[in-house]
Every structure is written in C-alpha cells, then in structure tokens.
Amino acid sequence: LLTRTTLTEGDGLTASWTAGDGLTYCNLSRKNAMTDDIYSGSLTATSTAATSQFTGDVTCNGGDYLAVVYPAATFTTNSQYTITLSGQDGTLAGLATRFHYVYGKALVNSVTDATADATMPKMKSLLTVCKFSFVDKTTNEAIPVLSLSISYGGIGSDVGAYPQTATVSLKDTDDAILDQANVHATGAAGSSEALTVTCPSAQDAVYVALLPTAAARTFSFSVSDGSGNTYTGTAKATLAEGEYIAATGLKLTKQQ
C-alpha cells in the first residue's frame, strides 16, 4: 500500500509509511441492523517502509468493501466524509502528515476467526501538491514567504475565495459504492475567504495541497515576507489529481 505519510522531494515526490501512522476505515457495505450506526474505526501502520500492514479492530464480513483513508478522518455516514484544507503551514512535513489525503477501497476476501483478509489497490491521492516560490517582478530577487494567501482569480462566483473544506463522496446517488478511480474531493461552496498558509518562519518555498481543477484556472497570490512587505500576482494552471507541481519563480508585484 503506497501513500504519502512521509514525502521526500527529489525527482518528483517519493512516499513511504511511518510505523504508527493512523488511518481510518469505514465499512461501505453494511451498517448495524438494529441501530443503523456505521462501522468505522482506527487502523495503525506497523512498518516504516514503502509498504506496510495495518492493525486494528474491523467489523466486516467476507465480500464487504471498506474505505481506508489517511490522514485519520471522522465518518458520520458510510457514503462520504469531509477533509479540510485550512491550517496548512507550508512545510513538506506538515503537508505529508496532515493534508496529503489519500483514499483506498479494500475488498474483504474472507473472515476466519478473528482475522480478516482484504486486498486493496494502490491508494490514490485526492489533492494536488504544489511547491511555490516567488520573485519580485521588478528586481527578480527571491521573496521569502512568511504567509501566502491563495484564491481563485479570473471570472466566476468563487473569485477572491477558496474552499476551506471538501467533501469526498464514496457512493453515487443510487447508493452504489463507487470504484476507487471515481472517488474525488469536491470543494465546499460558499467560502468568502482565501486559503491562507502561515509558515513557522520565512521560507524560500512553500508546499500547499490544493483541489484538482477540471480545466485551467487563474489563481491569485498574496505573499507577506515578514518584513512588512506584501507582493501580489496571478498564475494560470490546470491541477491534476495526485500530481506534484513545482511552480517556482512566479513573478509578483510589490505593493506600495
């Protein structure tokens, strides 16, 4: 099982588990027949490696489908869950452990005594990881980033804002369980604010998890360098699910 609990930058991003990483499962196939409560709980990675087994108590029967998600999430139904994009700190480590959302759909092949045997394909990343760095449009000097605000630009009802949360739907409108490839994160409508990334200290580059886009979109950026200066600008891009984008050297204009 491949996921993004540890991200290492090189030729793209490489990923591995860390022993003790917490995941969540939810049984997509059944609820408690008496209470209608869902079956959901915690799983733990046992190895620090690219692949790992998980331990935990799971309520299931052979033939059931389980949602397996990282980072750990709270399920209130077995048809969808919510992820958050706010609170990012611009570091690769912070993104890996808190915001690089991955999803897997496991099939329980058999249950023998207290052991369930399940198989799952490679887990999929729900968001796009972006590495941003900026330069002053006039001087071409690098801009240290203490905080970065990102919003949609161009035209549309969401211009000037960015979703702070997103919904991940696991079933279709007929309550049929979706194939893993058809599970996506959909940004919640109605946000009136930009997505703000606050770094622990000024950084040359920031790492941000963003929602994929169906087509090219304009993004607006506002950077504070921690010395009282603000820089703004825009860029246009298409963000693909699971993609890593190094958007470095973007030119911004210093505000007077």
Side-chain angles (χ1 to χ4, degrees):
L1 302 176
L2 180 64
T3 187
R4 303 293 193 270
T5 66
T6 300
L7 293 174
T8 304
E9 188 177 18
D11 183 14
L13 294 178
T14 57
S16 64
W17 289 102
T18 300
D21 282 340
L23 302 89
T24 302
Y25 92 90
C26 184
N27 193 320
L28 301 174
S29 299
R30 68 184 62 252
K31 297 180 181 180
N32 187 305
M34 296 182 65
T35 65
D36 204 39
D37 291 338
I38 62 171
Y39 294 117
S40 180
S42 300
L43 299 174
T44 303
T46 60
S47 302
T48 298
T51 60
S52 178
Q53 292 183 333
F54 306 121
T55 61
D57 294 328
V58 178
T59 301
C60 61
N61 292 331
D64 285 354
Y65 284 102
L66 308 178
V68 180
V69 304
Y70 177 89
T74 299
F75 282 85
T76 56
T77 75
N78 67 348
S79 60
Q80 66 180 35
Y81 66 103
T82 300
I83 62 176
T84 183
L85 291 95
S86 63
Q88 300 188 55
D89 69 359
T91 67
L92 190 58
L95 187 153
T97 56
R98 296 180 57 205
F99 295 97
H100 202 277
Y101 298 99
V102 292
Y103 172 77
K105 175 187 171 184
L107 171 63
V108 180
N109 297 312
S110 62
V111 177
T112 304
D113 296 327
T115 301
D117 175 71
T119 56
M120 181 171 63
K122 176 182 176 181
M123 298 177 78
K124 64 176 292 184
S125 302
L126 296 172
L127 303 182
T128 306
V129 174
C130 299
K131 176 184 179 180
F132 294 112
S133 69
F134 306 94
V135 298
D136 187 311
K137 185 176 182 179
T138 301
T139 66
N140 211 40
E141 293 181 355
I143 302 171
V145 182
L146 183 62
S147 68
L148 165 65
S149 293
I150 302 172
S151 60
Y152 289 128
I155 58 176
S157 59
D158 54 2
V159 169
Y162 196 88
Q164 307 296 302
T165 62
T167 298
V168 184
S169 295
L170 310 178
K171 298 181 179 181
D172 64 18
T173 54
D174 295 323
D175 205 37
I177 300 170
L178 293 171
D179 291 337
Q180 183 172 302
N182 294 326
V183 172
H184 308 288
T186 302
S191 175
S192 60
E193 57 185 308
L195 180 69
T196 299
V197 177
T198 303
C199 306
S201 59
Q203 302 175 183
D204 293 334
V206 293
Y207 298 85
V208 187
L210 296 175
L211 291 162
T213 61
R217 290 221 56 173
T218 298
F219 294 86
S220 297
F221 303 97
S222 178
V223 171
S224 170
D225 66 0
S227 297
N229 301 308
T230 300
Y231 301 80
T232 62
T234 63
K236 193 171 185 177
T238 302
L239 305 185
E241 185 180 72
E243 187 178 22
Y244 170 65
I245 296 177
T248 55
L250 298 180
K251 296 182 182 295
L252 302 182
T253 300
K254 185 176 181 180
Q255 302 303 294
Q256 303 298 321

